[in-house]
Amino acid sequence: MTEGKNPPTTPSSSAEVPFRRGHDFRKTSLSLNRLVGVIDEGTNVVSFSIYTTPEFKEIAAHRIEKQMITVKDGWFEQDPVAIINNIYRCCEVAVSMLPSLGYRKEDIYTIGITNQRETTVVWDSLTGKPLYNAIVWNDIRTTSTVDQILAKVPDQNKNHFKNIVGLPVSPYFSALKIRWLKDNVPAVRKACREKRCKAGTIDSWIVWNLTKGSLHITDATNASRTLLMNIENLEWDPMMLKTFSIHVDMLPEIRSCSEIYGKVSDERSVLNGIPISGILGNQQASLLGQMCIKPGQTKNTYRSGCFLLCNTGPTHIISNRGLLTTVAYKLGPKVPPVYALEGAVAVAGHALEWLQNKVRIMPNASDAEKFAESVHTTGDVYFVPAFTGLYAPYWRKDARGMLIGLTQFSTKHHVVRAALEAICFQSRDILECMYKEGGFKFNKLHADGALSSNNLLMQLQADTAGVPVFRSQLLDSTAFGAAMCAAQAEGVELCKFDPEKRHYDNIYYDTFLPTSTDEERRQRYGKWKKAVERSFDWVDRGQSKTMTEERYRMLSSVPCSIFLITTFAMLAHSLRNVKS
């Protein structure tokens, strides 16, 4: 690994930064104190950060961890009211830091919003109260709804609508969640009949609350993740609305990512009176924060999941290899959209948390690097963390997790290292598809996200993909990208895109160069592919209950003494391995 600022003259440098300071359109004595605030509503954490301009240096921030509600296996929910309360609290605490730094609340010139995508909220337009918990993006309860939809399309082809929306029919997307809520929650069904039900992704819910219900909007990046927006004209598509039985009046108005939408008007918020001028889905915000603004530039955000986006410019490429076509950004109402190809790894950091909380082979997920470094290889162990199926490029909801290649010499250290390698292999799966689809030359990968602080993971990624990995020293570029998006909006103009600029003073990268050979990569990746194939077709609902009863009868027929002896022997053997 090499550290420090990459020189702007280096051909492989990722510091191709497109911003210059905008014109000083409002002359005041406080022109140097214009700040930009960003609400960042992620899967696990909500935060509010405040940046200076034009340097975009974060000077104050506050973060609160969120609670995940898991009522059933594979069901993930969050409390929409708690989300708003936590956002308001983060804003209050971050703003309270400003006086000690020589700033005032009035110096916050505008705010941007970035959010976890696909996560869906429905609420009563009259009371403003949610009708159900938010259904989180990785929730798989809508599997049966997917089957119902596919039963009505030719050949039950999950890609039937891809030319319209750029997405396959999958539990991942918001349309399925809204349809499930209408079918299964009486309060939602009643509100729909009475035309008082509103639905949207988390950004819509946040703006609705900040503006006391005066704005029901979303941006093109979030709308492109619903299965309802036409990927070409960026409008709700009538055919898709009919397919999912969703009335357009429920949905927010689709706007650009960068414009003044209105002002915060909720007296409960310390941001009351401040304009809102930017909205981006969190992965698109990260793409901007990594300055991947030219076709072919690609970033990977390593968090609980992994999200890879490749900028494809003004062309929306419909993938034949399981990737998603999405809007990367649209920087103004009259500015044409920029598109991206995306692949999502559902389980990345979550696999490490599983090893900590469920299997309990390490005390903390943050110890993964230390555990994995204690062995030089995985000992031929492969971990396919398909806890809720596999996303791009496989899209197999019938897949389930698998740990394969274990021997009597395998230890917890091999398993942890295999978990790290699984993140890298899944990322390579997506990268290979991206560059076959787009025809771009792949010579580097931008990396960010909390999990990217794991140096071994970054080195394994470089070795697995065979290209340098440029890790931003801004481990979370999401809020940074949203800040710049909000700041460049017409009427704000604290910065402007300049595609010719190649350097930005406050962005630094750590570089990880590949150390593996082509043959080593070929051999390891081939075995990974074999392991993935073995995880397919695991879910068979028709046999699940029967098999459970059969296993119970089999266990109940084993004499107690034999059961205890064999269990004790297995436990003793496991403990010896854990200690090793």
Side-chain angles (χ1 to χ4, degrees):
M1 181 188 77
T2 59
E3 295 188 6
K5 187 186 297 183
N6 293 310
T9 56
T10 302
S12 63
S13 170
S14 52
E16 299 183 31
V17 180
F19 286 94
R20 65 173 184 268
R21 185 175 175 183
H23 295 293
D24 188 3
F25 73 101
R26 189 184 294 180
K27 301 287 185 181
T28 72
S29 60
L30 298 176
S31 60
L32 296 180
N33 286 351
R34 289 175 181 170
L35 307 176
V36 177
V38 174
I39 294 170
D40 184 352
E41 194 280 335
T43 305
N44 299 312
V45 175
V46 296
S47 68
F48 184 70
S49 304
I50 303 174
Y51 293 85
T52 61
T53 60
E55 301 87 357
F56 291 99
K57 177 183 177 183
E58 183 184 280
I59 58 170
H62 188 68
R63 296 164 177 80
I64 297 176
E65 289 191 4
K66 297 167 62 177
Q67 180 182 4
M68 190 70 73
I69 303 167
T70 53
V71 293
K72 292 183 181 179
D73 186 36
W75 291 33
F76 300 101
E77 301 176 1
Q78 291 176 340
D79 181 354
V81 174
I83 289 173
I84 294 299
N85 290 340
N86 287 340
I87 287 172
Y88 283 14
R89 177 58 180 163
C90 287
C91 295
E92 183 181 356
V93 173
V95 169
S96 71
M97 300 176 185
L98 291 178
S100 64
L101 301 169
Y103 297 94
R104 304 173 303 160
K105 184 194 84 169
E106 290 74 19
D107 293 331
I108 302 178
Y109 203 63
T110 190
I111 65 166
I113 297 168
T114 182
N115 57 286
Q116 57 172 321
R117 306 163 307 162
E118 296 97 20
T119 297
T120 303
V121 186
V122 290
W123 65 94
D124 189 318
S125 62
L126 300 180
T127 66
K129 295 181 179 180
L131 296 167
Y132 194 80
N133 281 335
I135 300 180
V136 180
W137 60 272
N138 57 347
D139 184 285
I140 59 169
R141 77 185 66 192
T142 60
T143 299
S144 59
T145 310
V146 169
D147 295 337
Q148 293 171 21
I149 298 297
L150 292 180
K152 300 177 182 179
V153 303
D155 301 321
Q156 297 189 10
N157 180 9
K158 65 177 180 291
N159 294 317
H160 180 71
F161 302 110
K162 224 176 178 187
N163 287 331
I164 301 173
V165 294
L167 310 172
V169 179
S170 164
Y172 193 42
F173 304 114
S174 305
L176 278 303
K177 303 180 195 302
I178 296 173
R179 175 64 183 268
W180 185 92
L181 288 162
K182 287 185 65 178
D183 289 346
N184 294 277
V185 181
V188 175
R189 196 159 53 244
K190 185 173 186 291
C192 288
R193 284 199 306 268
E194 297 174 1
K195 297 183 179 181
R196 53 184 174 82
C197 181
K198 296 297 181 184
T201 43
I202 294 289
D203 58 304
S204 300
W205 171 244
I206 293 171
V207 173
W208 175 278
N209 280 273
L210 288 175
T211 63
K212 297 177 68 175
S214 65
L215 284 177
H216 187 32
I217 62 172
T218 188
D219 82 294
T221 66
N222 278 293
S224 70
R225 312 295 297 181
T226 61
L227 257 177
L228 297 172
M229 189 192 80
N230 187 296
I231 197 67
E232 188 168 353
N233 63 26
L234 308 189
E235 297 176 355
W236 300 124
D237 189 87
M239 179 189 296
M240 302 309 297
L241 295 174
K242 183 178 180 181
T243 298
F244 291 98
S245 302
I246 296 172
H247 199 281
V248 69
D249 289 346
M250 295 175 60
L251 301 175
E253 177 188 359
I254 301 173
R255 306 279 286 270
S256 79
C257 306
S258 184
E259 60 179 281
I260 298 176
Y261 312 104
K263 291 185 177 182
V264 178
S265 56
D266 188 352
E267 298 85 357
R268 297 177 302 158
S269 173
V270 70
L271 303 177
N272 189 24
I274 297 174
I276 307 168
S277 63
I279 303 174
L280 278 168
N282 56 5
Q283 299 311 316
Q284 285 90 338
S286 171
L287 190 74
L288 276 182
Q290 286 277 19
M291 302 306 171
C292 295
I293 50 91
K294 293 186 177 180
Q297 292 183 326
T298 304
K299 72 90 191 178
N300 191 2
T301 296
Y302 298 81
R303 290 182 174 175
S304 56
C306 277
F307 300 91
L308 292 90
L309 270 74
C310 174
N311 187 318
T312 63
T315 305
H316 60 279
I317 299 172
I318 302 299
S319 171
N320 294 316
R321 292 178 170 86
L323 301 180
L324 312 178
T325 305
T326 192
V327 176
Y329 46 85
K330 178 176 165 58
L331 297 176
K334 299 177 182 178
V335 179
V338 170
Y339 292 94
L341 281 172
E342 176 172 346
V345 174
V347 180
H350 182 54
L352 304 180
E353 294 166 3
W354 179 78
L355 292 176
Q356 172 195 332
N357 299 322
K358 302 296 185 181
V359 187
R360 299 179 183 271
I361 64 174
M362 57 182 174
N364 197 297
S366 61
D367 295 326
E369 184 172 3
K370 179 179 67 176
F371 273 62
E373 279 183 329
S374 67
V375 290
H376 296 297
T377 71
T378 66
D380 220 25
V381 173
Y382 289 81
F383 181 16
V384 182
F387 298 151
T388 59
L390 289 169
Y391 292 148
Y394 306 103
W395 295 104
R396 296 294 296 256
K397 59 188 177 68
D398 60 357
R400 283 299 178 268
M402 180 169 294
L403 194 59
I404 194 168
L406 293 171
T407 70
Q408 61 182 332
F409 302 107
S410 301
T411 70
K412 60 185 177 183
H413 304 96
H414 295 106
V415 173
V416 173
R417 192 177 182 104
L420 293 181
E421 285 198 353
I423 297 169
C424 302
F425 282 130
Q426 291 177 97
S427 298
R428 176 172 168 174
D429 284 339
I430 294 169
L431 289 169
E432 295 220 337
C433 292
M434 281 180 171
Y435 290 94
K436 287 176 183 176
E437 298 275 19
F440 304 113
K441 186 178 180 181
F442 181 38
N443 57 13
K444 61 184 173 182
L445 175 65
H446 296 255
D448 66 0
L451 197 57
S452 69
S453 62
N454 185 316
N455 290 331
L456 178 60
L457 176 65
M458 294 293 96
Q459 186 58 57
L460 289 172
Q461 185 68 83
D463 291 339
T464 302
V467 296
V469 173
F470 288 81
R471 178 181 65 191
S472 172
Q473 291 187 5
L474 289 170
L475 292 181
D476 189 351
S477 339
T478 303
F480 178 55
M484 292 188 295
C485 185
Q488 77 92 54
E490 183 178 354
V492 178
E493 300 170 40
L494 297 179
C495 67
K496 281 292 179 183
F497 271 101
D498 182 1
E500 302 307 316
K501 189 171 181 178
R502 296 180 57 85
H503 184 62
Y504 200 65
D505 288 338
N506 72 331
I507 298 182
Y508 295 80
Y509 295 89
D510 300 324
T511 306
F512 297 81
L513 303 175
T515 60
S516 59
T517 66
D518 290 342
E519 178 58 25
E520 287 171 339
R521 286 193 291 274
R522 186 197 63 78
Q523 189 270 339
R524 293 283 292 153
Y525 189 56
K527 277 205 167 182
W528 161 258
K529 286 289 193 180
K530 288 170 64 177
V532 169
E533 288 172 4
R534 283 162 170 75
S535 74
F536 294 167
D537 295 313
W538 198 260
V539 176
D540 187 339
R541 294 187 209 124
Q543 295 180 9
S544 177
K545 184 176 180 182
T546 302
M547 291 299 292
T548 300
E549 291 171 351
E550 287 175 358
R551 286 195 298 270
Y552 177 81
R553 286 195 296 270
M554 180 184 69
L555 288 173
S556 64
S557 67
V558 175
C560 181
S561 58
I562 296 177
F563 179 78
L564 290 174
I565 290 170
T566 54
T567 302
F568 180 80
M570 292 171 65
L571 179 59
H573 181 71
S574 299
L575 288 174
R576 283 199 300 271
N577 276 345
V578 167
K579 289 177 181 178
S580 64

